[in-house]
Amino acid sequence: MTETLREPVLGGPDLQAVLLSSKIQTPPARPGAVSRRALIDRARDSGARVVSVTAPAGYGKSTLLAEWAAGDPRTVAWVSLDRTEVDPASLLSVIAAASVSFSPAAASVIADMRGVGTAALGRSAPMLAAVLAAAPESFVLFVDDLHWADSPDCQDAMEVLFAHVPEGSQIVLASRREPSLIARLRAAGDAAEITATDLSLDHAGARAIFEHAGAEDVDDADLRSIVERCEGWPTGLFLCALVARSGGDAASVTGEDRFVADYLYRECVARLPEDTQSFLRRASVLDQLSAASCNAVLGIEDSRARLREIESANLFLIGMDHHRGWFRFHPLFREFLVTELERAEGAAAVAELHRRAAAWHEINGAPVQAVEHLLQAGETERAADRIAELGLPMYQVGQVSTVKRWLSRLGDDLVRSYPSLVVSMTWTAILLGDVPAGERWSRILEAFDVTALPEPDRVPFESARAMVRAALCEHGPERALADAAYGMEHEPVTSPWRDQALHLWGSAHLLVDDLQTAKSAFEEAIDVATAMGNPDTVILCRPELALLEIDAGRWGSAREHAERGVEAIDVSHMDGYPTTTLALAVAARVAVHDGEREQGARLLARGMRARIGCTRLLPSVSIRARIQLAKAHVALGDRSAAWHLVREIDDLLRKRPDVGAVLAHVEELRSALAAEPAAGGSVPLTPAELRLLPYLQTHLTIAEIGQRLFISRNTVSSEVGSIYRKLAVTTRGAAVERASALGLLGG
């Protein structure tokens, strides 16, 4: 059961690269579309850094953007978003990939756009913003379908980017709904807006549409009636033109609904050959279409010819790349087709198509899309198993929000009934340092009735549960050692959890001061994790070996381990993850010892920022990391900061008082600090203040920041005041500038 949780399951690069490439291809201007040049010129000449194009589906937002892109003399970059951009990491990654067209430096930060939680806002977004600010030439970045990325986290990250758009450049956003951040930009005079009213067409625009569609015989009186009934809605007018062209009476359209799309689409589609109608309906289960995916899902062999035929007939099929290999339906047309598919073929047929789509995406290395299709197919058991497998890999690439959305779709009762899913979610919360989620999931895990499982699954589940207990260390070192021993015994060398079991085994022996066994466990864990491609375990174990070498006076060997620990962080682009804190702290100590004070200070700043998620969920690591951070501060002459870290350790010990031999190290540090006064020195930002700090880059109010962090307005005010005092500033802008200089924000 749990043996599949740690496989490298995020798929190969081929299809993922193709899908990403399709999202950043600038589409050609649509032939025959009514020109929006006046609107474009007004927005371009406004001088606003951000242009918002907001209207419901069918108003020609994408068409306007494509016309703008085709005629703008500046360098153009394009991003098309979809439902997978719910995470800031996904959103920032695709924007960074698109930005390479006007700033080659963007290529170097794409892999670093994987921050989780405030790390996306505090590190990834400022890194990309710096790339935009330093662009060597003026640019226009078009972001289509921004409504898919309307989560507060995504909106906050976007605001950081907007603030760094250089003079002469613009970001143009198209969305069905007004992004929440536009109101703040409007108040600051930084936004130009194009709305549905602007995009509505008059008689002249309607005439151009009808003539291009080959329906020029409609007289002016009928056309005025059509414009009035469609209220200038561009897609409605185009559909009426298609009805008229095929011999229907477009002037008789009287849809009771504001949108007469269903009626109009049905009129258009009904005039097509039945096999074409069937193809359109059945292909609508796919978010993005290619000949290969349509052949596989629909069970046919001529999809390429059909797609070309449909595209040439101007039937709402939008090309997504210059090779005409990938397409998508116009969103409103797709919604109609999906409804028609279920009406014509039934829910069972729709589910079967989604099952085929899931299988095709899985085979072709796109498991995230496969899960989406499994959920739509109602295959909750298969989806739950796949989500359990994807949980930790997606944590490593910063896509935790996507997993949470999937869990919401499954429902709490079903999630609780899947032990592998509970194990995966528990570990994700532990590694992120998310105390409320970690304690909730661990309680669910502990309460699970193992007798409800098939006999072969019981021991693997008990092993997984024992390893979680060993990590939490709620009942002292002896219990942690026993739980780690159970994991060691029942996770064989072939288990994908073997490296985790070895790390926990080593950590438990540190609690009972058995250093030799700990060393052997850490060494083996690194070998296993390296073979498995799991950087977390390598990052956790390398500094432990370095510390053992330091204690033995072998600083040269310690340096090798420390450098390889930091190398693992950098190669895996996991800077900012809580599990990196110990490695960065130890590396900082080694650098200062070797006389590299500037390098040591940089590593120390990274470690101090990463400690946000070092909580009581991993008490031994969290306390030991702070001990090393404190010693690094002392080595740099800052005993005051070290004392503040001791106070953080004391807070952890109040929740996890029995951490065995680690207590002796705490008291040793306390005694060493007490031997000399802590004159001068800095007062570091607390984890709570570091969590809040990234929001000072935005225009969020105190109350809105509190809502983001689930804390009171008074708490936010108090923490902001403390940040200002510690950074010796009086404004948000100055705080952000100072924090960036100290390495607390950005790269």
Side-chain angles (χ1 to χ4, degrees), residues 356-380:
R356 293 181 190 174
W360 185 84
H361 283 92
E362 194 71 70
I363 290 170
N364 286 278
V368 173
Q369 288 79 4
V371 170
E372 298 286 354
H373 284 291
L374 288 173
L375 290 170
Q376 291 181 79
E379 293 282 351
T380 53

Side-chain angles (χ1 to χ4, degrees), residues 379-545:
E379 293 282 351
T380 53
E381 293 187 7
R382 289 176 59 195
D385 287 338
R386 202 66 180 105
I387 295 168
E389 295 167 359
L390 290 168
L392 288 177
M394 292 188 73
Y395 140 81
Q396 290 181 332
V397 296
Q399 297 183 20
V400 176
S401 296
T402 297
V403 177
K404 290 180 178 178
R405 176 170 61 84
W406 289 340
L407 297 182
S408 178
R409 287 279 301 274
L410 290 175
D412 198 54
D413 290 342
L414 188 141
V415 170
R416 286 170 176 263
S417 68
Y418 275 83
S420 58
L421 194 52
V422 174
V423 170
S424 179
M425 294 304 100
T426 303
W427 272 115
T428 298
I430 288 173
L431 294 173
L432 287 173
D434 186 343
V435 172
E439 293 186 340
R440 172 178 175 266
W441 284 111
S442 63
R443 286 194 298 270
I444 295 171
L445 182 67
E446 197 62 35
F448 195 90
D449 181 9
V450 71
T451 62
L453 296 175
E455 188 68 37
D457 289 343
R458 294 180 185 179
V459 170
F461 175 77
E462 286 289 16
S463 177
R465 184 155 61 181
M467 287 195 291
V468 167
R469 285 197 297 261
L472 294 174
C473 194
E474 292 182 286
H475 305 292
E478 297 301 332
R479 176 63 184 272
L481 188 62
D483 286 325
Y486 191 92
M488 277 289 292
E489 180 182 353
H490 295 97
E491 297 296 333
V493 293
T494 56
S495 167
W497 287 93
R498 180 67 180 179
D499 63 322
Q500 183 79 303
L502 285 160
H503 172 255
L504 291 169
W505 179 243
S507 296
H509 279 87
L510 289 180
L511 299 179
V512 297
D513 210 23
D514 183 352
L515 304 186
Q516 188 55 50
T517 302
K519 180 181 180 181
S520 298
F522 293 137
E523 289 173 339
E524 186 179 351
I526 289 171
D527 290 340
V528 174
T530 300
M532 291 171 50
N534 179 35
D536 252 333
T537 298
V538 175
I539 292 166
L540 284 166
C541 291
R542 280 292 177 191
E544 299 288 12
L545 294 176

Side-chain angles (χ1 to χ4, degrees), residues 128-206:
L128 182 53
V131 168
L132 300 186
E137 54 189 306
S138 296
F139 63 85
V140 191
L141 171 61
F142 297 95
V143 182
D144 199 12
D145 290 332
L146 184 64
H147 49 268
W148 287 115
D150 63 355
S151 70
D153 288 344
C154 287
Q155 296 287 302
D156 294 342
M158 288 293 289
E159 186 173 352
V160 173
L161 301 188
F162 297 159
H164 291 77
V165 175
E167 186 176 353
S169 297
Q170 290 178 303
I171 295 181
V172 184
L173 312 172
S175 176
R176 291 190 184 184
R177 300 177 292 277
E178 181 182 286
S180 59
L181 49 81
I182 291 299
R184 292 192 287 274
L185 292 169
R186 182 190 302 129
D190 279 341
E193 298 177 77
I194 297 173
T195 66
T197 300
D198 299 313
L199 293 169
S200 295
L201 294 177
D202 57 12
H203 179 273

Side-chain angles (χ1 to χ4, degrees), residues 115 121 136 148 230 270 349 375 417 462 580 618 700 728:
L121 187 61
W148 287 115
C230 288
L375 290 170
S417 68
E462 286 289 16
T580 66
L618 279 174
L700 292 172

